[in-house]
Amino acid sequence: MHRLDRLFEKSSRSLAQRTSRRGFLGLLGQALTGSLLLPLLPIDRVHRTAAAATPQPAGAAAAGGATKPGHGAAIDDPHSCEYWKYCAIDGFLCSCCGGSSHSCPPGTAMSPITWIGTCHHPGDGRDYLVSYNDCCGKTSCGNCECNRNEREKPLYRLSRNNDVNWCMANSDSNYHCSVSVILGLAEQ
Amino acid sequence: MHRLDRLFEKSSRSLAQRTSRRGFLGLLGQALTGSLLLPLLPIDRVHRTAAAATPQPAGAAAAGGATKPGHGAAIDDPHSCEYWKYCAIDGFLCSCCGGSSHSCPPGTAMSPITWIGTCHHPGDGRDYLVSYNDCCGKTSCGNCECNRNEREKPLYRLSRNNDVNWCMANSDSNYHCSVSVILGLAEQ
Amino acid sequence: MRSYQSRAAWLALLACGCATAAEPLQPEQFTVETLPPRSPHWVYIVDDAFSNEIDARVRLFDGDSYRHLGQIDAGFSPGVTLSPDGTTAAVVTTYFARGGHGARTDVVEFTATATLELSAEIVLPPKHAQAPPSYFNLAYSSDGRFLYVAYITPAMSFGVLDPVNRKVLGEIDTAGCALVIASGGNRVSSLCDSGRLLTVTLDDQGLEASRALSDVFFDADRDPVFVQGVPTDTGYAFLSFLGQVHEVDFSGPQPVIHPPWSLLSPAEQGHWRPGGAQVAAIHRRLGRLYVPMHRGGEGSHKAGGTEIWVFDLGTHRRIARWPLKPLRFGPAIAVQVSQDAAPVLFAAAENAEVAVFDALTGRLRHVEKHLGETPWFFMNP
Amino acid sequence: MRSYQSRAAWLALLACGCATAAEPLQPEQFTVETLPPRSPHWVYIVDDAFSNEIDARVRLFDGDSYRHLGQIDAGFSPGVTLSPDGTTAAVVTTYFARGGHGARTDVVEFTATATLELSAEIVLPPKHAQAPPSYFNLAYSSDGRFLYVAYITPAMSFGVLDPVNRKVLGEIDTAGCALVIASGGNRVSSLCDSGRLLTVTLDDQGLEASRALSDVFFDADRDPVFVQGVPTDTGYAFLSFLGQVHEVDFSGPQPVIHPPWSLLSPAEQGHWRPGGAQVAAIHRRLGRLYVPMHRGGEGSHKAGGTEIWVFDLGTHRRIARWPLKPLRFGPAIAVQVSQDAAPVLFAAAENAEVAVFDALTGRLRHVEKHLGETPWFFMNP
């Protein structure tokens, strides 16, 4: 856990430079409530982007494995790129790699840092805050490549960016696949 | 050239264990006559396999890049897997990787050890002894994968085997692509 | 699995037609998946990733759910084997200091099969045989005490390793004979160009105690055997390019070579051949041999099978013939069969499709698209 | 090229109908190919090989002969740039000690562009930005004296390197601003979430002398700019998600930001967007801007263009619109244009096809299938 501590320190410091302390701690509190094993979130300004979601995945790319874009029940299928929670995922779906929509495949490790999306759940009409974590330490899974970018932002807004290797700070930092974890309801 | 010397020594020693000195030196002489920059050939028993060739590449596999199996003039096109000289090649054609049928791409290095084939040249009706060398030191080229196996033998007859990484003894030993070099007429 | 809970919740919502549910979805807990108890219908697929050859991997796939269960990194041109107790997967491979170039490091890496976590490694002399996967690139002694690594430099030899204490014990020259066919607690056989088997017997320290050559049982010029031997009850069966089956009993101090028999009727000879990367599979208890067969000639020995032929190992009679083209699958370049009473047959095609058949009836159950890039070898769990 | 000689010989034989020629083919001499003098129609293609991400490479391709000329290894998630004199290609990347796992080593590797041989490397702190290729992951000062590497840990900073003496000179914090936009001999600008540019000016030792923030010129919430800037005569043009063009003059001591203009007519706004991985190309002398455009909405900013729109940079008027679907190509996720008087336009599709167009007329000259696996970025020689 030493490494996690160090990361937390580093994230806190770098975040302090560019966001209000209140915003960061508010989110942290929210996430702590919801999840026992908490990803560390170098996030600012999440409150800005909790707008109403567009349900159709515009520009979604899907390739390989069990991903079947256009399938009727795809929006509720964690093996499909069109699954509702994947609205800002970019990479290989861990559900096609031995994990699930929110668990890493055996033998890999979660990235403690992450990017954040806000996805609309058509089942209950609500918007959820979703943490996209990379699973790290094995070579690329290669199955179910999925690229969706709702409210995704360029690299200068890192907490909303899905292009960077979020395994970067893991001790074993190769990228294997990506998961999505519901953090809670998005603030309206 | 120190490394070449050592390799030569090693090859000679291991060959001495399993083939007649005459056979090895005979081939060596033949090859020296034909080529200034000579690949070292850990070969035995080449005299056994100089049988008449079947011109059609049975079981040839081709994928990617400029390889066009079934093309009319393919048997004379060094960018095609069906090129006559490629009758026992297995890997990426260097002619699709920045080299030619008998030259390595820029920045790679020839393998001094090699496997040998005997290919029928339909242009003049003759059989030629061909040295297949790997080009080494860069990561897989990936273009024009070509797998042909006329008179190819399993691993225990290494000098006729195209499965092993012939870059194995290079200082930079990754496999990039394969060439074919005419050594001379096959003994009839 | 929370995903199923949430699916149920959503379906319930749809049924009631509510726009907004009373209870929002709860935050999810992030976890790392654990493997269920192993199933005989799992298969380890060695994917050489040939177009990106430094990035080979072993994929664990479930022949019932058709799901990927996990992955083991395998570097460049790996050999893969399982420990006798099934708890450890060992991979011998090469890594370069700078990805696709730079100094070569050869290593055996050990992965716990229950967790797919790396547990240890042994660094080797840079000699491991960079050749296609088979059972004989890397092999354990039957008691798991020794691990043997095939070396080609191009001189041929093998390394003897102590997997428990993570040490290289030594290297034994095989005089031009290839690969490591492990038997018993201390024997390693290799295939020789002369058509013989060389068998080296080791002492307690893993050093050579004695060696012996078998009689000639094949002719490398006229009809060589594939090095891809297939496990039988007592040893391995070696198929030849022209379709002879050489069964070798490795259970005694020296290999006993049975008289060969042919896959082919006299009418079929010269027309049909076995071929591919993993050329046959055997269900040991049922005594059934599965062979992808194709019409071919000289040089077609790596061509995949357009049909799978099934033989009874007791009678040497063909009991089925399963054409693949009507199934829009194949040709099949690799096959494996599970060893349980309701066996499934796996077959891989050159386009990286993997088919799952009922191994008793030949019924096609499933085709998985893109199971890796170059799935060349299957291993049972 | 001996192969052409032998082709001629064979054709002659066929013509005369001889079964056997008088003179057999002569033994060939083995060589390593050298590159011809560089052509403006060459292009360096950064292939991230995303499904085997540790095995990225830069492919050198000729837009006239449609041949691969060679390759540079590029490791994991590389940044690539050329030295100002064009003699050196620099690649910043990550290698793992054991292929796909193990300790991370970040390094800049230098390759001579004339021979494609590695010439040197500099080992870095393990901080390089593992992000998609752009002009701003790695960049030389205009005099070639400094080399800048973008760092993300996730804290943002950059490394200052001395490529001549192969040393890391230092690291400069960018307070959350991203990437390295090099200008002049000693300036590095970065893109900030606040919609500003941070510009750090270095002293002779490569240490920070001063820093300044520009005015706000974009709104990251409402209409962020792509980080894939496009070289202009005096700096870079940054396109926004909604199709605004922000031209920035980097030739003076501080960047001068021109008033933005729109790719879209009022009727097109809200319907068409730019998008992809390399979102535009500019022919600097002709003053032409090429942009792959698609119909999309929120979240479609990485979708490729179904048309390429061509603009006059002087008048800001669209002068052509080239639909790709009738050509059975695309959508286009990356574009580049050669800088000569008879320019070719390169475009890459998601399926790894690369099209070569006449950049003046839009005529499709060639489609190369499978030009690598994930060709995401083109660089002119």
Side-chain angles (χ1 to χ4, degrees), chain A residues 62-82:
Chain A
T67 302
K68 294 179 194 73
H71 188 264
I75 208 163
D76 200 38
D77 175 4
H79 303 98
S80 161
C81 186
E82 298 183 51

Side-chain angles (χ1 to χ4, degrees), chain B residues 30 46-53 118-121 124-129 184-188:
Chain B
Q30 180 184 26
V46 288
H47 54 282
R48 290 197 202 165
T49 46
T118 306
C119 297
H120 182 75
H121 181 23
D124 65 7
R126 291 189 169 105
D127 292 340
Y128 289 89
L129 207 61
L185 283 174
E187 299 169 27
Q188 295 297 334

Side-chain angles (χ1 to χ4, degrees), chain D residues 106-266:
Chain D
D106 282 17
V107 68
V108 175
E109 294 185 309
F110 300 92
T111 296
T113 52
T115 62
L116 300 184
E117 283 172 358
L118 267 178
S119 57
E121 70 167 32
I122 303 174
V123 174
L124 305 178
K127 295 183 170 189
H128 107 83
Q130 295 171 330
S134 76
Y135 286 105
F136 309 134
N137 300 330
L138 179 69
Y140 277 94
S141 61
S142 61
D143 55 7
R145 189 174 154 201
F146 295 131
L147 181 62
Y148 313 115
V149 185
Y151 290 163
I152 301 182
T153 64
M156 288 179 183
S157 60
F158 65 90
V160 182
L161 276 53
D162 175 344
V164 179
N165 299 301
R166 301 177 195 173
K167 306 192 285 200
V168 178
L169 298 176
E171 177 181 353
I172 293 174
D173 179 74
T174 53
C177 303
L179 300 175
V180 288
I181 305 167
S183 62
N186 62 346
R187 292 188 306 274
V188 179
S189 300
S190 302
L191 285 159
C192 309
D193 190 33
S194 60
R196 302 170 192 264
L197 285 162
L198 169 71
T199 300
V200 175
T201 303
L202 306 178
D203 65 16
D204 263 8
Q205 280 68 51
L207 303 175
E208 177 172 344
S210 64
R211 63 171 60 201
L213 278 171
S214 75
D215 288 340
V216 172
F217 71 102
F218 68 91
D219 182 329
D221 287 307
R222 293 194 308 128
D223 188 18
V225 296
F226 292 95
V227 297
Q228 289 84 7
V230 190
T232 62
D233 260 341
T234 57
Y236 292 93
F238 294 92
L239 272 57
S240 77
F241 283 19
L242 300 180
Q244 294 289 106
V245 181
H246 302 267
E247 292 178 56
V248 183
D249 180 345
F250 284 96
S251 61
Q254 287 297 321
V256 175
I257 297 156
H258 293 292
W261 55 278
S262 179
L263 299 171
L264 301 159
S265 68

Side-chain angles (χ1 to χ4, degrees), chain B residues 173-174, chain C residues 54 76 94-105 130, chain D residues 96:
Chain B
S173 61
N174 197 3
Chain C
I54 60 170
F76 176 83
T94 294
Y95 295 114
F96 301 103
R98 295 289 180 259
H101 55 274
R104 167 181 175 178
T105 299
Q130 295 170 330
Chain D
F96 301 103

Side-chain angles (χ1 to χ4, degrees), chain D:
Chain D
M1 301 275 288
R2 181 174 300 273
S3 53
Y4 293 101
Q5 290 175 19
S6 62
R7 178 183 299 196
W10 186 28
L11 290 176
L13 286 170
L14 287 177
C16 85
C18 316
T20 304
E23 285 297 311
L25 298 178
Q26 291 306 299
E28 290 174 315
Q29 194 169 328
F30 187 95
T31 53
V32 175
E33 205 66 38
T34 50
L35 285 175
R38 75 180 164 191
S39 151
H41 289 184
W42 288 4
V43 71
Y44 293 96
I45 303 172
V46 181
D47 176 4
D48 265 41
F50 186 59
S51 290
N52 300 87
E53 208 177 354
I54 61 169
D55 196 30
R57 65 281 302 280
V58 182
R59 296 174 183 273
L60 180 57
F61 181 76
D62 183 349
D64 290 325
S65 68
Y66 315 128
R67 291 276 171 226
H68 291 71
L69 300 175
Q71 181 179 303
I72 300 170
D73 290 8
F76 176 84
S77 205
V80 183
T81 194
L82 295 168
S83 64
D85 64 7
T87 63
T88 304
V91 174
V92 60
T93 191
T94 294
Y95 294 114
F96 301 103
R98 295 289 179 259
H101 55 274
R104 166 182 176 180
T105 299
D106 282 17
V107 68
V108 175
E109 294 185 309
F110 300 92
T111 296
T113 52
T115 62
L116 300 184
E117 283 172 358
L118 267 178
S119 57
E121 70 167 32
I122 303 174
V123 174
L124 305 178
K127 295 183 170 189
H128 107 83
Q130 295 171 330
S134 76
Y135 286 105
F136 309 134
N137 300 330
L138 179 69
Y140 277 94
S141 61
S142 61
D143 55 7
R145 189 174 154 201
F146 295 131
L147 181 62
Y148 313 115
V149 185
Y151 290 163
I152 301 182
T153 64
M156 288 179 183
S157 60
F158 65 90
V160 182
L161 276 53
D162 175 344
V164 179
N165 299 301
R166 301 177 195 173
K167 306 192 285 200
V168 178
L169 298 176
E171 177 181 353
I172 293 174
D173 179 74
T174 53
C177 303
L179 300 175
V180 288
I181 305 167
S183 62
N186 62 346
R187 292 188 306 274
V188 179
S189 300
S190 302
L191 285 159
C192 309
D193 190 33
S194 60
R196 302 170 192 264
L197 285 162
L198 169 71
T199 300
V200 175
T201 303
L202 306 178
D203 65 16
D204 263 8
Q205 280 68 51
L207 303 175
E208 177 172 344
S210 64
R211 63 171 60 201
L213 278 171
S214 75
D215 288 340
V216 172
F217 71 102
F218 68 91
D219 182 329
D221 287 307
R222 293 194 308 128
D223 188 18
V225 296
F226 292 95
V227 297
Q228 289 84 7
V230 190
T232 62
D233 260 341
T234 57
Y236 292 93
F238 294 92
L239 272 57
S240 77
F241 283 19
L242 300 180
Q244 294 289 106
V245 181
H246 302 267
E247 292 178 56
V248 183
D249 180 345
F250 284 96
S251 61
Q254 287 297 321
V256 175
I257 297 156
H258 293 292
W261 55 278
S262 179
L263 299 171
L264 301 159
S265 68
E268 289 156 352
Q269 269 168 29
H271 301 291
W272 286 88
R273 293 181 176 220
Q278 186 172 24
V279 296
I282 288 173
H283 190 296
R284 294 191 290 276
R285 205 142 44 90
L286 296 175
R288 290 206 181 162
L289 169 69
Y290 300 84
V291 190
M293 299 289 290
H294 68 277
R295 287 179 178 275
E298 169 55 40
S300 77
H301 52 280
K302 292 185 199 162
T306 55
E307 305 189 354
I308 291 174
W309 291 7
V310 189
F311 295 86
D312 183 300
L313 276 178
T315 63
H316 301 170
R317 287 180 55 191
R318 186 174 66 202
I319 54 179
R321 199 172 153 164
W322 298 335
L324 299 176
K325 202 170 180 181
L327 307 173
R328 297 181 186 186
F329 177 81
I333 55 163
V335 286
Q336 184 57 282
V337 65
S338 71
Q339 298 296 318
D340 60 322
V344 292
L345 179 79
F346 298 94
E350 292 224 29
N351 62 1
E353 289 186 356
V354 169
V356 184
F357 299 88
D358 182 319
L360 299 180
T361 65
R363 189 175 65 82
L364 178 65
R365 288 189 179 167
H366 179 74
V367 174
E368 182 76 11
K369 308 273 177 199
H370 312 298
L371 215 170
E373 293 153 77
T374 44
W376 287 347
F377 193 70
F378 295 101
M379 285 171 42
N380 289 323

